[in-house]
Amino acid sequence: MPPEMKRMARLWEREVGGLPPRHFANAVMASKDFVQCLSIQKRLRKHRGCVNTISFNADGRLLLSGADDRTVVLWNWLEAAPTFSFHSGHSNNVLHAQFMPFSDDRSIVSCAADGEVRHSQIREGGHVTIDKLVELDFAVHRLAVEPGSPYTFYCCCEDSSVWLFDLRGKDAVELFKCRATDHFTADDIELFAIELDPRKPCCFAVAGSDEYVRIYDTRKICVDGSSSSGHPTEHFCPPHLIGENKDGITGLAYSQTSELLATYSHDNIYLFSREHGLHFNNIEVDERLLMDETGSSPLCRDKLPIPKAFKGHTNQHTIKGVNFLGPNCDYVTSGSDCGRIFIWRKKDGELIRVMNGDKHIVNCVEQHPSGIVVASSGIDDDIKIWEPGEGENPSIATDDGVKEDMWLSSSSDSDGFIYNDGFDYLMEVDDIYGNGDEHSSEEGEEDSSSEEDDDGDNSAEEDDDGNNSAEEGGVDGENSAEDVSDG
């Protein structure tokens, strides 16, 4: 039956009461047609630097963002207007920020390149109090908030540490250091990603500078007052990367059914489920992996099922995330070094959409919790809101083989798209990403060069010294008084 007839049949079924409205809406949101109708409907402009983190609140009404300018902004994305903004208290780029559940969207946790984790509370009258929960020597890239808890969350750090926080007592506990003990080494793993399993929040995945995704169970981690060496309950890795330990993993994402996405630097995105686990396949990673006669290839590679791969993007220059799209995690999406957003169908790995999302690099792609709305951000200082309908037309076709304008070519095994070997878009991260000072003025100074946005419109910006300007539609009162406590 043609797709049009199928849609009409489901519409008729809904109208006569045979299909619940929620099921109908989910079926529509999961359709390929709707994904291909996404276009840029709004641009959110206030930040003065790369936007490193975006996330919706629980009901999808607000969007939270953090950037190199060290500010945190709450957006009414429907109106494309900031409702509240404040200086985070961080001294370097804000890398991740999250609303805490059941806090009326007034409790926010953040981490940054300065090695700090901070808790911000928006008080009545627009005052913000900020507590520094921990200060480490290396960048803290990612937070993981426990579902349904307004107090508990985790973070991972470049020094290999994983921390647990409880806001009730402002306690910070180092759970363990993640070390590469699988090759008779004790090297610390720089951690870039941490995600909680939505079906089993006591378990979480971490990944970083080596080839393994490690799964931990908090019930099996013993903390005795000193740093405990956590023992993973499972490892995931594509068979061909075992023992390579080359470039590492920059992002993780869990589906509703505990499938796990991992985006590898200089490689593809892979989808892991239980049967891909090394422990599940009776392979002990904490012992030296058996090698073949030449000593060059682990024998265990032949024992492991091959995970589904999603090909086409490049992930070399920045710490990129990866995500699912659709009400049932029907699609996989990621940004790319070429400034595009890639969308694949999960069930077969087919690349179905490529969209222009940034002048340089797209790092974040986030879906609305209930609607067909997608937000993206990257090196540009704005946030794009994508919805079905007429708008900016950033789409690039993917069904005609080689596309010169997207720098893609068919792979040699004809099972996806890869970048040409001659791809010359390489650039140094420092040239485009900066160190936090190139995109924002020092605290206490005004950045007069950013008074006008790309369209030449004047916008009221707040100083980077922590002064909060009152936004229309935001919290009443002047947000200039900030109580910052360093704990």
Coordinates of all heavy atoms in Angstrom, one line a residue, residues 252-282:
L252 N 27.4 9.6 24.2 CA 26.5 8.4 24.5 C 25.1 8.9 24.6 O 24.8 10.0 24.9 CB 26.9 7.8 25.8 CG 28.3 7.2 26.0 CD1 28.6 6.8 27.4 CD2 28.6 6.0 25.0
A253 N 24.2 7.9 24.3 CA 22.8 8.2 24.4 C 22.0 6.8 24.6 O 22.3 5.9 23.8 CB 22.2 8.9 23.2
Y254 N 21.1 6.8 25.6 CA 20.3 5.6 25.8 C 18.9 5.8 25.1 O 18.4 6.9 25.2 CB 20.1 5.4 27.3 CG 21.1 4.5 28.0 CD1 22.0 5.0 28.9 CD2 21.1 3.1 27.7 CE1 22.9 4.1 29.5 CE2 22.0 2.2 28.3 CZ 22.9 2.8 29.2 OH 23.8 1.9 29.9
S255 N 18.4 4.7 24.6 CA 17.0 4.7 24.1 C 16.1 4.3 25.2 O 16.5 4.0 26.3 CB 16.8 3.7 22.9 OG 16.9 2.4 23.4
Q256 N 14.8 4.4 25.0 CA 13.8 4.0 26.0 C 13.9 2.5 26.3 O 13.5 2.1 27.4 CB 12.4 4.3 25.4 CG 12.1 5.7 25.1 CD 10.9 5.9 24.2 OE1 10.4 5.0 23.6 NE2 10.5 7.2 24.1
T257 N 14.5 1.7 25.5 CA 14.6 0.3 25.7 C 16.0 -0.1 26.0 O 16.4 -1.3 25.9 CB 14.1 -0.5 24.5 OG1 14.9 -0.1 23.3 CG2 12.7 -0.3 24.2
S258 N 16.8 0.8 26.5 CA 18.2 0.6 27.0 C 19.2 0.2 25.8 O 20.3 -0.3 26.1 CB 18.3 -0.5 28.1 OG 17.5 0.0 29.2
E259 N 18.8 0.5 24.6 CA 19.9 0.5 23.5 C 20.8 1.6 23.8 O 20.4 2.7 24.2 CB 19.2 0.5 22.2 CG 18.3 -0.6 21.8 CD 17.5 -0.3 20.6 OE1 16.8 0.7 20.5 OE2 17.6 -1.1 19.6
L260 N 22.1 1.5 23.4 CA 23.0 2.5 23.7 C 23.8 2.9 22.4 O 24.4 2.1 21.7 CB 24.0 1.9 24.7 CG 25.1 2.9 25.3 CD1 24.5 4.1 26.0 CD2 26.0 2.2 26.2
L261 N 23.7 4.2 22.2 CA 24.5 4.8 21.1 C 25.8 5.3 21.6 O 25.9 5.9 22.6 CB 23.8 6.0 20.4 CG 22.6 5.7 19.5 CD1 21.9 7.0 19.1 CD2 23.0 4.9 18.3
A262 N 26.9 5.1 20.8 CA 28.2 5.7 21.1 C 28.8 6.2 19.8 O 28.8 5.6 18.7 CB 29.1 4.6 21.6
T263 N 29.2 7.5 19.8 CA 29.8 8.1 18.7 C 31.3 8.2 18.8 O 31.8 8.8 19.8 CB 29.2 9.5 18.4 OG1 29.9 10.1 17.3 CG2 29.3 10.4 19.6
Y264 N 32.0 7.5 17.9 CA 33.5 7.4 18.0 C 34.2 8.5 17.2 O 33.7 8.9 16.1 CB 33.9 6.0 17.4 CG 33.7 4.9 18.4 CD1 32.5 4.4 18.7 CD2 34.8 4.3 19.1 CE1 32.3 3.3 19.5 CE2 34.7 3.3 20.0 CZ 33.4 2.8 20.2 OH 33.2 1.7 21.1
S265 N 35.2 9.1 17.8 CA 36.0 10.0 17.1 C 36.8 9.3 16.0 O 37.3 8.2 16.2 CB 37.0 10.7 18.0 OG 37.7 11.7 17.4
H266 N 36.8 9.9 14.8 CA 37.5 9.4 13.6 C 36.9 8.0 13.2 O 37.5 7.2 12.6 CB 39.0 9.2 13.9 CG 39.7 10.5 14.0 ND1 39.7 11.2 15.2 CD2 40.5 11.1 13.2 CE1 40.5 12.3 15.0 NE2 41.0 12.3 13.8
D267 N 35.6 7.8 13.6 CA 34.9 6.6 13.2 C 33.4 6.8 13.1 O 33.0 8.0 13.0 CB 35.3 5.4 14.1 CG 35.2 4.1 13.5 OD1 34.1 3.5 13.4 OD2 36.2 3.5 13.0
N268 N 32.6 5.8 13.2 CA 31.2 5.9 13.0 C 30.5 5.9 14.4 O 31.1 5.9 15.4 CB 30.7 4.7 12.2 CG 31.4 4.6 10.9 OD1 31.5 5.6 10.2 ND2 31.8 3.4 10.5
I269 N 29.2 6.0 14.3 CA 28.3 5.8 15.5 C 27.8 4.4 15.5 O 27.5 3.8 14.4 CB 27.1 6.8 15.3 CG1 27.5 8.2 15.4 CG2 26.1 6.5 16.5 CD1 26.4 9.2 15.0
Y270 N 27.8 3.8 16.7 CA 27.4 2.4 16.8 C 26.3 2.2 17.8 O 26.2 3.0 18.8 CB 28.6 1.5 17.2 CG 29.7 1.5 16.1 CD1 30.8 2.4 16.2 CD2 29.6 0.6 15.1 CE1 31.7 2.4 15.2 CE2 30.6 0.6 14.1 CZ 31.7 1.5 14.2 OH 32.6 1.5 13.2
L271 N 25.4 1.3 17.5 CA 24.2 1.0 18.4 C 24.5 -0.4 19.1 O 24.6 -1.4 18.4 CB 23.0 0.9 17.5 CG 21.7 0.6 18.3 CD1 21.3 1.8 19.2 CD2 20.5 0.4 17.3
F272 N 24.6 -0.3 20.4 CA 24.8 -1.5 21.2 C 23.6 -1.9 21.9 O 22.8 -1.1 22.5 CB 25.9 -1.3 22.2 CG 27.3 -0.9 21.7 CD1 27.8 0.4 21.8 CD2 28.0 -1.8 20.9 CE1 29.0 0.8 21.3 CE2 29.2 -1.4 20.4 CZ 29.7 -0.2 20.6
S273 N 23.3 -3.2 22.0 CA 22.3 -3.8 22.9 C 23.0 -4.9 23.7 O 24.2 -5.2 23.5 CB 21.1 -4.3 22.1 OG 21.5 -5.2 21.1
R274 N 22.2 -5.6 24.5 CA 22.8 -6.5 25.5 C 23.7 -7.6 24.8 O 24.7 -7.9 25.4 CB 21.6 -7.2 26.2 CG 22.0 -8.1 27.4 CD 20.8 -8.5 28.2 NE 21.2 -9.4 29.3 CZ 21.0 -10.7 29.2 NH1 20.4 -11.2 28.1 NH2 21.3 -11.5 30.2
E275 N 23.3 -8.1 23.7 CA 24.0 -9.2 23.0 C 25.4 -8.8 22.5 O 26.2 -9.6 22.1 CB 23.2 -9.8 21.9 CG 22.9 -8.9 20.8 CD 21.5 -8.2 20.9 OE1 21.0 -8.1 22.1 OE2 21.0 -7.7 19.9
H276 N 25.6 -7.5 22.5 CA 27.0 -7.0 22.0 C 28.0 -6.9 23.1 O 29.1 -6.6 22.9 CB 26.8 -5.6 21.3 CG 26.0 -5.6 20.1 ND1 24.7 -5.0 20.0 CD2 26.2 -6.2 18.9 CE1 24.2 -5.2 18.8 NE2 25.0 -5.9 18.1
G277 N 27.6 -7.1 24.4 CA 28.4 -7.0 25.5 C 29.6 -8.0 25.5 O 29.3 -9.2 25.2
L278 N 30.8 -7.6 25.9 CA 31.9 -8.5 25.9 C 31.7 -9.5 27.0 O 31.9 -10.7 26.9 CB 33.2 -7.8 26.1 CG 33.9 -7.3 24.8 CD1 33.1 -6.2 24.1 CD2 35.3 -6.8 25.1
H279 N 31.2 -9.1 28.2 CA 30.9 -10.0 29.3 C 29.8 -11.0 28.9 O 29.8 -12.2 29.2 CB 30.5 -9.2 30.5 CG 30.2 -10.1 31.7 ND1 31.2 -10.8 32.4 CD2 29.1 -10.4 32.3 CE1 30.6 -11.5 33.4 NE2 29.3 -11.2 33.4
F280 N 28.8 -10.5 28.2 CA 27.7 -11.3 27.8 C 28.2 -12.4 26.9 O 27.6 -13.5 26.9 CB 26.6 -10.4 27.0 CG 25.4 -11.2 26.5 CD1 24.4 -11.4 27.4 CD2 25.4 -11.7 25.2 CE1 23.2 -12.1 26.9 CE2 24.3 -12.4 24.7 CZ 23.2 -12.6 25.6
N281 N 29.2 -12.1 26.1 CA 29.8 -13.2 25.2 C 31.0 -13.9 25.9 O 31.8 -14.4 25.2 CB 30.2 -12.5 23.9 CG 29.1 -12.1 23.1 OD1 28.5 -12.9 22.3 ND2 28.6 -10.8 23.1
N282 N 31.1 -13.8 27.2 CA 32.1 -14.6 28.0 C 33.5 -14.1 27.6 O 34.4 -15.0 27.6 CB 31.9 -16.1 27.7 CG 30.6 -16.6 28.2 OD1 30.1 -16.2 29.3 ND2 29.9 -17.4 27.4

